[in-house]
Amino acid sequence: MQYLLLIYDDEKRWTNMTEADMQKGMSAYNAFGEEFAGKIKAGNALQPTHTATTVRTRDGKRLTTDGPYAETKEALGGYYLIDANDLDEAIVIASKIPGALTGAIEVRPIMTFD
């Protein structure tokens, strides 16, 4: 079964890091990627929330707003799409994402249609 692991963290933490801390963080993500290479189907980091555009359609008109849908302390910063045997395995994998140490990982099963 496929699961989307959504990584939420405080963006300011990353912008205030030293170069050495940034390298250490990236090394941790690289190690995670190597450990679960057979399970990870896709994954990306996202640009900061100030680069986002929110789109709505109301009464046939497109409305756009700069920024994310909602302002929160923890923002969606990236994701992994994984194959896991079940929710328990997906949770184990999610717990090993480095962002789980300072933020939160949301585990969502992918809906399949016949």
Side-chain angles (χ1 to χ4, degrees), residues 27-86:
S27 291
Y29 272 96
N30 289 337
F32 170 82
E34 289 174 15
E35 181 177 354
F36 294 103
K39 297 286 183 178
I40 296 171
K41 299 303 168 193
N44 280 298
L46 301 175
Q47 293 288 335
T49 55
H50 74 271
T51 66
T53 301
T54 299
V55 179
R56 295 174 178 84
T57 302
R58 301 292 186 269
D59 299 321
K61 295 181 183 177
R62 182 183 65 219
L63 306 169
T64 61
T65 306
D66 291 340
Y69 175 70
E71 290 195 29
T72 62
K73 182 178 178 185
E74 291 181 334
L76 179 62
Y79 69 90
Y80 289 102
L81 176 64
I82 64 163
D83 273 332
N85 294 324
D86 53 29

Short mmCIF file of all heavy atoms in Angstrom, two decimals, residues 27-86:
data_model
loop_
_atom_site.label_atom_id
_atom_site.label_comp_id
_atom_site.label_asym_id
_atom_site.label_seq_id
_atom_site.Cartn_x
_atom_site.Cartn_y
_atom_site.Cartn_z
N SER A 27 22.75 15.53 5.59
CA SER A 27 23.35 14.20 5.71
C SER A 27 22.37 13.22 6.35
O SER A 27 22.28 12.06 5.95
CB SER A 27 24.63 14.27 6.55
OG SER A 27 25.63 14.96 5.84
N ALA A 28 21.62 13.70 7.34
CA ALA A 28 20.62 12.84 7.98
C ALA A 28 19.54 12.44 6.99
O ALA A 28 19.11 11.29 6.95
CB ALA A 28 20.02 13.56 9.19
N TYR A 29 19.09 13.39 6.16
CA TYR A 29 18.08 13.06 5.15
C TYR A 29 18.65 12.11 4.09
O TYR A 29 17.95 11.20 3.63
CB TYR A 29 17.52 14.33 4.49
CG TYR A 29 16.35 14.89 5.26
CD1 TYR A 29 16.53 15.90 6.19
CD2 TYR A 29 15.08 14.38 5.07
CE1 TYR A 29 15.46 16.39 6.91
CE2 TYR A 29 13.99 14.87 5.78
CZ TYR A 29 14.19 15.88 6.70
OH TYR A 29 13.13 16.36 7.41
N ASN A 30 19.90 12.30 3.71
CA ASN A 30 20.52 11.38 2.74
C ASN A 30 20.60 9.97 3.31
O ASN A 30 20.34 8.99 2.62
CB ASN A 30 21.90 11.89 2.33
CG ASN A 30 21.83 13.11 1.46
OD1 ASN A 30 20.83 13.38 0.80
ND2 ASN A 30 22.91 13.90 1.45
N ALA A 31 20.95 9.87 4.60
CA ALA A 31 21.03 8.55 5.24
C ALA A 31 19.65 7.90 5.30
O ALA A 31 19.51 6.69 5.05
CB ALA A 31 21.62 8.69 6.65
N PHE A 32 18.62 8.69 5.60
CA PHE A 32 17.25 8.17 5.60
C PHE A 32 16.90 7.64 4.20
O PHE A 32 16.35 6.56 4.05
CB PHE A 32 16.26 9.26 6.02
CG PHE A 32 14.83 8.87 5.81
CD1 PHE A 32 14.17 8.08 6.75
CD2 PHE A 32 14.13 9.27 4.68
CE1 PHE A 32 12.84 7.69 6.55
CE2 PHE A 32 12.82 8.90 4.47
CZ PHE A 32 12.17 8.11 5.41
N GLY A 33 17.22 8.42 3.18
CA GLY A 33 16.94 8.01 1.80
C GLY A 33 17.63 6.72 1.41
O GLY A 33 17.05 5.87 0.73
N GLU A 34 18.86 6.55 1.86
CA GLU A 34 19.59 5.31 1.58
C GLU A 34 18.99 4.13 2.33
O GLU A 34 18.85 3.04 1.78
CB GLU A 34 21.06 5.48 1.95
CG GLU A 34 21.81 6.41 1.00
CD GLU A 34 23.23 6.70 1.45
OE1 GLU A 34 23.75 5.97 2.34
OE2 GLU A 34 23.83 7.66 0.92
N GLU A 35 18.60 4.34 3.59
CA GLU A 35 18.04 3.25 4.40
C GLU A 35 16.73 2.73 3.82
O GLU A 35 16.47 1.53 3.84
CB GLU A 35 17.80 3.72 5.84
CG GLU A 35 17.24 2.63 6.74
CD GLU A 35 17.07 3.07 8.19
OE1 GLU A 35 17.47 4.20 8.55
OE2 GLU A 35 16.50 2.27 8.96
N PHE A 36 15.92 3.63 3.27
CA PHE A 36 14.60 3.23 2.79
C PHE A 36 14.47 3.36 1.27
O PHE A 36 13.37 3.51 0.74
CB PHE A 36 13.52 4.04 3.51
CG PHE A 36 13.45 3.72 4.96
CD1 PHE A 36 14.00 4.57 5.89
CD2 PHE A 36 12.87 2.53 5.40
CE1 PHE A 36 13.96 4.27 7.25
CE2 PHE A 36 12.84 2.21 6.75
CZ PHE A 36 13.38 3.08 7.68
N ALA A 37 15.58 3.24 0.56
CA ALA A 37 15.58 3.40 -0.90
C ALA A 37 14.58 2.46 -1.57
O ALA A 37 13.95 2.83 -2.55
CB ALA A 37 16.98 3.17 -1.45
N GLY A 38 14.40 1.26 -1.07
CA GLY A 38 13.47 0.30 -1.67
C GLY A 38 12.01 0.62 -1.39
O GLY A 38 11.12 0.11 -2.06
N LYS A 39 11.76 1.45 -0.41
CA LYS A 39 10.38 1.82 -0.03
C LYS A 39 9.96 3.16 -0.59
O LYS A 39 8.78 3.41 -0.82
CB LYS A 39 10.24 1.86 1.50
CG LYS A 39 10.47 0.53 2.19
CD LYS A 39 9.28 -0.37 1.97
CE LYS A 39 9.44 -1.69 2.71
NZ LYS A 39 8.25 -2.53 2.53
N ILE A 40 10.92 4.08 -0.79
CA ILE A 40 10.60 5.44 -1.25
C ILE A 40 10.36 5.42 -2.75
O ILE A 40 11.20 4.98 -3.53
CB ILE A 40 11.75 6.41 -0.90
CG1 ILE A 40 11.89 6.54 0.62
CG2 ILE A 40 11.48 7.79 -1.53
CD1 ILE A 40 13.13 7.30 1.05
N LYS A 41 9.19 5.91 -3.16
CA LYS A 41 8.83 5.99 -4.58
C LYS A 41 9.05 7.40 -5.12
O LYS A 41 9.27 7.58 -6.31
CB LYS A 41 7.37 5.58 -4.79
CG LYS A 41 7.10 4.14 -4.37
CD LYS A 41 8.03 3.21 -5.12
CE LYS A 41 8.02 1.81 -4.56
NZ LYS A 41 9.10 1.00 -5.07
N ALA A 42 8.94 8.40 -4.27
CA ALA A 42 9.14 9.80 -4.67
C ALA A 42 9.33 10.62 -3.41
O ALA A 42 8.97 10.19 -2.31
CB ALA A 42 7.95 10.31 -5.47
N GLY A 43 9.87 11.79 -3.57
CA GLY A 43 10.02 12.70 -2.45
C GLY A 43 10.65 14.00 -2.93
O GLY A 43 11.44 14.00 -3.87
N ASN A 44 10.27 15.07 -2.29
CA ASN A 44 10.83 16.38 -2.61
C ASN A 44 10.74 17.30 -1.42
O ASN A 44 9.82 17.19 -0.60
CB ASN A 44 10.07 17.03 -3.77
CG ASN A 44 10.49 16.49 -5.11
OD1 ASN A 44 11.64 16.64 -5.49
ND2 ASN A 44 9.57 15.86 -5.81
N ALA A 45 11.67 18.23 -1.35
CA ALA A 45 11.57 19.35 -0.43
C ALA A 45 10.82 20.45 -1.15
O ALA A 45 10.87 20.54 -2.38
CB ALA A 45 12.97 19.82 -0.04
N LEU A 46 10.12 21.26 -0.40
CA LEU A 46 9.35 22.36 -0.99
C LEU A 46 10.02 23.69 -0.71
O LEU A 46 10.69 23.86 0.32
CB LEU A 46 7.93 22.37 -0.41
CG LEU A 46 7.13 21.08 -0.62
CD1 LEU A 46 5.79 21.19 0.11
CD2 LEU A 46 6.92 20.80 -2.09
N GLN A 47 9.83 24.63 -1.62
CA GLN A 47 10.31 26.00 -1.39
C GLN A 47 9.56 26.57 -0.19
O GLN A 47 8.47 26.09 0.16
CB GLN A 47 10.05 26.86 -2.63
CG GLN A 47 10.87 26.46 -3.84
CD GLN A 47 12.34 26.84 -3.69
OE1 GLN A 47 12.70 27.75 -2.97
NE2 GLN A 47 13.19 26.11 -4.39
N PRO A 48 10.08 27.62 0.45
CA PRO A 48 9.41 28.20 1.63
C PRO A 48 7.98 28.67 1.32
O PRO A 48 7.64 28.95 0.17
CB PRO A 48 10.30 29.39 1.98
CG PRO A 48 11.62 29.09 1.37
CD PRO A 48 11.34 28.28 0.14
N THR A 49 7.18 28.77 2.36
CA THR A 49 5.77 29.11 2.19
C THR A 49 5.55 30.47 1.53
O THR A 49 4.54 30.66 0.86
CB THR A 49 5.01 29.09 3.54
OG1 THR A 49 5.66 29.95 4.46
CG2 THR A 49 4.94 27.68 4.08
N HIS A 50 6.49 31.40 1.68
CA HIS A 50 6.27 32.71 1.05
C HIS A 50 6.28 32.62 -0.48
O HIS A 50 5.85 33.56 -1.16
CB HIS A 50 7.29 33.75 1.56
CG HIS A 50 8.67 33.57 1.01
ND1 HIS A 50 9.61 32.77 1.63
CD2 HIS A 50 9.27 34.07 -0.08
CE1 HIS A 50 10.73 32.79 0.92
NE2 HIS A 50 10.55 33.57 -0.12
N THR A 51 6.71 31.49 -1.04
CA THR A 51 6.70 31.32 -2.50
C THR A 51 5.40 30.68 -2.98
O THR A 51 5.19 30.55 -4.19
CB THR A 51 7.88 30.44 -2.97
OG1 THR A 51 7.70 29.12 -2.46
CG2 THR A 51 9.22 31.01 -2.51
N ALA A 52 4.54 30.27 -2.05
CA ALA A 52 3.31 29.56 -2.40
C ALA A 52 2.24 30.50 -2.97
O ALA A 52 2.23 31.70 -2.66
CB ALA A 52 2.74 28.84 -1.18
N THR A 53 1.37 29.94 -3.77
CA THR A 53 0.16 30.63 -4.24
C THR A 53 -1.01 29.71 -3.97
O THR A 53 -0.97 28.53 -4.32
CB THR A 53 0.25 30.93 -5.75
OG1 THR A 53 1.41 31.75 -5.99
CG2 THR A 53 -1.00 31.65 -6.24
N THR A 54 -2.05 30.24 -3.36
CA THR A 54 -3.26 29.47 -3.09
C THR A 54 -4.30 29.84 -4.14
O THR A 54 -4.51 31.02 -4.42
CB THR A 54 -3.79 29.77 -1.67
OG1 THR A 54 -2.78 29.39 -0.73
CG2 THR A 54 -5.06 28.98 -1.38
N VAL A 55 -4.92 28.83 -4.74
CA VAL A 55 -5.90 29.03 -5.81
C VAL A 55 -7.26 28.52 -5.35
O VAL A 55 -7.37 27.43 -4.80
CB VAL A 55 -5.48 28.27 -7.09
CG1 VAL A 55 -6.51 28.46 -8.20
CG2 VAL A 55 -4.10 28.72 -7.55
N ARG A 56 -8.28 29.35 -5.59
CA ARG A 56 -9.67 28.96 -5.33
C ARG A 56 -10.48 29.32 -6.57
O ARG A 56 -10.17 30.29 -7.25
CB ARG A 56 -10.23 29.73 -4.14
CG ARG A 56 -9.57 29.43 -2.82
CD ARG A 56 -10.13 30.38 -1.73
NE ARG A 56 -9.56 30.12 -0.44
CZ ARG A 56 -8.40 30.60 -0.01
NH1 ARG A 56 -7.67 31.37 -0.77
NH2 ARG A 56 -7.97 30.30 1.20
N THR A 57 -11.55 28.57 -6.81
CA THR A 57 -12.50 28.93 -7.86
C THR A 57 -13.85 29.13 -7.20
O THR A 57 -14.37 28.21 -6.54
CB THR A 57 -12.59 27.84 -8.94
OG1 THR A 57 -11.27 27.64 -9.48
CG2 THR A 57 -13.52 28.24 -10.06
N ARG A 58 -14.40 30.33 -7.34
CA ARG A 58 -15.70 30.66 -6.74
C ARG A 58 -16.57 31.31 -7.81
O ARG A 58 -16.12 32.27 -8.47
CB ARG A 58 -15.54 31.63 -5.56
CG ARG A 58 -14.67 31.10 -4.42
CD ARG A 58 -15.32 29.93 -3.70
NE ARG A 58 -14.58 29.52 -2.55
CZ ARG A 58 -13.63 28.58 -2.55
NH1 ARG A 58 -13.30 27.97 -3.66
NH2 ARG A 58 -13.01 28.25 -1.44
N ASP A 59 -17.77 30.80 -7.97
CA ASP A 59 -18.71 31.34 -8.95
C ASP A 59 -18.08 31.46 -10.33
O ASP A 59 -18.28 32.45 -11.03
CB ASP A 59 -19.25 32.70 -8.48
CG ASP A 59 -20.00 32.61 -7.17
OD1 ASP A 59 -20.74 31.62 -6.98
OD2 ASP A 59 -19.84 33.52 -6.33
N GLY A 60 -17.28 30.44 -10.70
CA GLY A 60 -16.66 30.42 -12.02
C GLY A 60 -15.46 31.34 -12.17
O GLY A 60 -14.91 31.47 -13.26
N LYS A 61 -15.04 31.99 -11.10
CA LYS A 61 -13.90 32.92 -11.16
C LYS A 61 -12.73 32.36 -10.37
O LYS A 61 -12.90 31.83 -9.27
CB LYS A 61 -14.29 34.30 -10.61
CG LYS A 61 -15.33 34.99 -11.44
CD LYS A 61 -15.65 36.34 -10.87
CE LYS A 61 -16.76 36.98 -11.70
NZ LYS A 61 -17.16 38.24 -11.16
N ARG A 62 -11.56 32.49 -10.96
CA ARG A 62 -10.33 32.03 -10.30
C ARG A 62 -9.83 33.14 -9.38
O ARG A 62 -9.69 34.28 -9.79
CB ARG A 62 -9.27 31.69 -11.34
CG ARG A 62 -7.98 31.17 -10.71
CD ARG A 62 -6.91 30.90 -11.74
NE ARG A 62 -6.53 32.16 -12.35
CZ ARG A 62 -6.26 32.32 -13.64
NH1 ARG A 62 -6.36 31.32 -14.47
NH2 ARG A 62 -5.90 33.50 -14.11
N LEU A 63 -9.56 32.78 -8.14
CA LEU A 63 -9.01 33.71 -7.16
C LEU A 63 -7.65 33.18 -6.71
O LEU A 63 -7.53 31.99 -6.40
CB LEU A 63 -9.93 33.82 -5.95
CG LEU A 63 -11.39 34.17 -6.23
CD1 LEU A 63 -12.23 33.98 -4.98
CD2 LEU A 63 -11.49 35.59 -6.74
N THR A 64 -6.66 34.01 -6.69
CA THR A 64 -5.33 33.59 -6.21
C THR A 64 -4.92 34.48 -5.04
O THR A 64 -5.23 35.67 -5.00
CB THR A 64 -4.27 33.66 -7.32
OG1 THR A 64 -4.17 35.00 -7.79
CG2 THR A 64 -4.62 32.73 -8.47
N THR A 65 -4.22 33.87 -4.11
CA THR A 65 -3.70 34.57 -2.95
C THR A 65 -2.24 34.17 -2.79
O THR A 65 -1.90 32.99 -2.87
CB THR A 65 -4.48 34.16 -1.68
OG1 THR A 65 -5.86 34.35 -1.90
CG2 THR A 65 -4.03 34.97 -0.48
N ASP A 66 -1.39 35.16 -2.55
CA ASP A 66 0.01 34.85 -2.28
C ASP A 66 0.10 34.16 -0.93
O ASP A 66 -0.58 34.52 0.02
CB ASP A 66 0.87 36.11 -2.25
CG ASP A 66 1.01 36.73 -3.64
OD1 ASP A 66 0.79 36.02 -4.63
OD2 ASP A 66 1.34 37.93 -3.72
N GLY A 67 0.95 33.14 -0.88
CA GLY A 67 1.20 32.45 0.37
C GLY A 67 0.37 31.20 0.54
O GLY A 67 -0.46 30.87 -0.30
N PRO A 68 0.58 30.52 1.65
CA PRO A 68 -0.14 29.27 1.91
C PRO A 68 -1.58 29.53 2.30
O PRO A 68 -1.97 30.66 2.60
CB PRO A 68 0.66 28.66 3.07
CG PRO A 68 1.22 29.84 3.78
CD PRO A 68 1.52 30.87 2.70
N TYR A 69 -2.35 28.45 2.34
CA TYR A 69 -3.76 28.52 2.71
C TYR A 69 -3.94 29.08 4.12
O TYR A 69 -4.81 29.89 4.37
CB TYR A 69 -4.39 27.13 2.59
CG TYR A 69 -5.81 27.07 3.07
CD1 TYR A 69 -6.83 27.67 2.36
CD2 TYR A 69 -6.13 26.42 4.26
CE1 TYR A 69 -8.15 27.62 2.79
CE2 TYR A 69 -7.44 26.36 4.70
CZ TYR A 69 -8.43 26.96 3.97
OH TYR A 69 -9.73 26.91 4.40
N ALA A 70 -3.12 28.61 5.04
CA ALA A 70 -3.23 29.05 6.43
C ALA A 70 -1.83 29.30 6.98
O ALA A 70 -0.88 28.62 6.62
CB ALA A 70 -3.93 27.98 7.27
N GLU A 71 -1.72 30.29 7.84
CA GLU A 71 -0.44 30.55 8.49
C GLU A 71 -0.37 29.74 9.77
O GLU A 71 -1.26 29.80 10.60
CB GLU A 71 -0.28 32.04 8.77
CG GLU A 71 -0.11 32.85 7.50
CD GLU A 71 0.40 34.24 7.78
OE1 GLU A 71 1.12 34.44 8.78
OE2 GLU A 71 0.07 35.12 6.98
N THR A 72 0.68 28.98 9.88
CA THR A 72 0.91 28.16 11.07
C THR A 72 2.39 28.20 11.41
O THR A 72 3.22 28.57 10.58
CB THR A 72 0.50 26.70 10.83
OG1 THR A 72 1.31 26.16 9.79
CG2 THR A 72 -0.97 26.57 10.46
N LYS A 73 2.72 27.81 12.61
CA LYS A 73 4.14 27.75 12.99
C LYS A 73 4.85 26.66 12.20
O LYS A 73 5.95 26.87 11.71
CB LYS A 73 4.27 27.49 14.49
CG LYS A 73 5.71 27.47 14.94
CD LYS A 73 5.85 27.27 16.42
CE LYS A 73 7.33 27.22 16.77
NZ LYS A 73 7.57 26.91 18.15
N GLU A 74 4.22 25.49 12.10
CA GLU A 74 4.82 24.40 11.34
C GLU A 74 4.20 24.38 9.95
O GLU A 74 2.98 24.38 9.80
CB GLU A 74 4.58 23.06 12.04
CG GLU A 74 5.37 22.92 13.33
CD GLU A 74 5.15 21.59 14.00
OE1 GLU A 74 4.09 20.98 13.79
OE2 GLU A 74 6.04 21.17 14.74
N ALA A 75 5.04 24.38 8.93
CA ALA A 75 4.58 24.41 7.55
C ALA A 75 5.01 23.15 6.83
O ALA A 75 6.01 22.52 7.20
CB ALA A 75 5.16 25.64 6.83
N LEU A 76 4.25 22.78 5.80
CA LEU A 76 4.61 21.63 4.98
C LEU A 76 5.91 21.95 4.25
O LEU A 76 5.99 22.92 3.50
CB LEU A 76 3.49 21.33 3.98
CG LEU A 76 3.73 20.18 3.02
CD1 LEU A 76 3.90 18.87 3.79
CD2 LEU A 76 2.57 20.07 2.04
N GLY A 77 6.92 21.16 4.52
CA GLY A 77 8.24 21.43 3.95
C GLY A 77 8.70 20.41 2.93
O GLY A 77 9.65 20.64 2.20
N GLY A 78 8.01 19.27 2.87
CA GLY A 78 8.39 18.24 1.92
C GLY A 78 7.58 16.99 2.16
O GLY A 78 6.70 16.95 3.03
N TYR A 79 7.89 15.96 1.37
CA TYR A 79 7.13 14.73 1.47
C TYR A 79 7.92 13.56 0.92
O TYR A 79 8.89 13.74 0.18
CB TYR A 79 5.82 14.83 0.69
CG TYR A 79 6.05 14.89 -0.81
CD1 TYR A 79 6.09 13.73 -1.57
CD2 TYR A 79 6.28 16.09 -1.45
CE1 TYR A 79 6.34 13.77 -2.94
CE2 TYR A 79 6.53 16.15 -2.80
CZ TYR A 79 6.56 14.99 -3.55
OH TYR A 79 6.85 15.04 -4.89
N TYR A 80 7.49 12.38 1.30
CA TYR A 80 7.94 11.13 0.69
C TYR A 80 6.70 10.32 0.34
O TYR A 80 5.76 10.23 1.14
CB TYR A 80 8.79 10.29 1.66
CG TYR A 80 10.15 10.86 1.94
CD1 TYR A 80 10.41 11.54 3.11
CD2 TYR A 80 11.18 10.69 1.02
CE1 TYR A 80 11.67 12.06 3.36
CE2 TYR A 80 12.44 11.20 1.27
CZ TYR A 80 12.67 11.89 2.44
OH TYR A 80 13.91 12.40 2.69
N LEU A 81 6.70 9.73 -0.82
CA LEU A 81 5.69 8.75 -1.20
C LEU A 81 6.36 7.39 -1.05
O LEU A 81 7.42 7.15 -1.64
CB LEU A 81 5.23 8.95 -2.65
CG LEU A 81 4.25 7.92 -3.20
CD1 LEU A 81 2.93 7.97 -2.44
CD2 LEU A 81 4.03 8.14 -4.68
N ILE A 82 5.77 6.53 -0.22
CA ILE A 82 6.40 5.24 0.07
C ILE A 82 5.44 4.09 -0.21
O ILE A 82 4.23 4.26 -0.23
CB ILE A 82 6.88 5.15 1.53
CG1 ILE A 82 5.69 5.22 2.51
CG2 ILE A 82 7.92 6.22 1.84
CD1 ILE A 82 6.01 4.75 3.91
N ASP A 83 6.02 2.91 -0.38
CA ASP A 83 5.28 1.65 -0.37
C ASP A 83 5.56 1.02 0.99
O ASP A 83 6.71 0.91 1.40
CB ASP A 83 5.78 0.70 -1.46
CG ASP A 83 5.10 0.91 -2.79
OD1 ASP A 83 3.94 1.36 -2.80
OD2 ASP A 83 5.73 0.63 -3.82
N ALA A 84 4.50 0.64 1.69
CA ALA A 84 4.66 -0.02 2.98
C ALA A 84 3.65 -1.16 3.05
O ALA A 84 2.60 -1.12 2.41
CB ALA A 84 4.42 0.96 4.12
N ASN A 85 3.96 -2.17 3.82
CA ASN A 85 3.07 -3.32 3.96
C ASN A 85 1.76 -2.94 4.64
O ASN A 85 0.71 -3.51 4.34
CB ASN A 85 3.75 -4.44 4.74
CG ASN A 85 4.92 -5.02 3.97
OD1 ASN A 85 4.88 -5.12 2.75
ND2 ASN A 85 5.97 -5.37 4.68
N ASP A 86 1.83 -1.99 5.59
CA ASP A 86 0.65 -1.58 6.34
C ASP A 86 0.95 -0.27 7.06
O ASP A 86 2.06 0.26 6.97
CB ASP A 86 0.21 -2.67 7.32
CG ASP A 86 1.32 -3.13 8.25
OD1 ASP A 86 2.24 -2.33 8.56
OD2 ASP A 86 1.30 -4.30 8.65
#
